Amino acid sequence: QVQLVESGGGLVQAGGSLRLSCAVSGSIFSMFNMGWFRQAPGKEREFVARIGWNGGSPSYGDSVKGRFTISRDNTKNTVYLQMNSLKPEDTAVYYCAASKLTSFSYEYWGRGTQVTVSS
């Protein structure tokens, strides 16, 4: 069974940085493209970033471009989200998700980690 566990969330002041991690177990990590999503209270889930199985083809949501960086370490079965220049509007629960290489959707999701940015 594939499991995803996020960590690294917390409270940070505007302008600060956080790095989220997502550890994947239960399958071969390099068989998945990985993504980060977020959901703020009362809002729909929003795409944040995506990275290919080999670390290629990173892409970002418009609201985080230039501030967030997604990366992965296939030797550690972990995907990261480096978040810089954080804004109060980045406050949300952040989820990582795994997509099989042959799929157009994300089949596996973590439980999320809370990120709160104070002004």
Side-chain angles (χ1 to χ4, degrees):
Q1 183 176 359
V2 179
Q3 292 187 325
L4 288 70
V5 180
E6 301 95 338
S7 61
L11 174 64
V12 64
Q13 288 189 333
S17 298
L18 280 176
R19 189 176 82 152
L20 305 183
S21 300
C22 174
V24 179
S25 62
S27 188
I28 301 174
F29 183 58
S30 59
M31 291 177 63
F32 297 101
N33 300 315
M34 298 297 298
W36 285 96
F37 294 78
R38 67 187 183 186
Q39 188 165 19
K43 295 188 176 182
E44 293 187 353
R45 186 172 62 197
E46 176 188 13
F47 167 74
V48 174
R50 173 202 176 277
I51 191 166
W53 68 273
N54 61 351
S57 304
S59 61
Y60 300 90
D62 288 341
S63 61
V64 307
K65 280 180 182 177
R67 300 187 298 122
F68 290 11
T69 302
I70 188 171
S71 62
R72 66 189 292 164
D73 186 339
N74 285 357
T75 67
K76 297 182 178 179
N77 290 359
T78 301
V79 61
Y80 305 97
L81 185 69
Q82 178 66 44
M83 306 186 295
N84 298 329
S85 302
L86 282 161
K87 305 174 182 179
E89 51 264 44
D90 294 319
T91 295
V93 178
Y94 284 71
Y95 300 90
C96 72
S99 172
K100 295 178 182 178
L101 299 185
T102 56
S103 173
F104 293 100
S105 63
Y106 289 87
E107 291 82 11
Y108 305 101
W109 293 81
R111 292 190 174 186
T113 186
Q114 176 71 46
V115 171
T116 303
V117 184
S118 63
S119 56

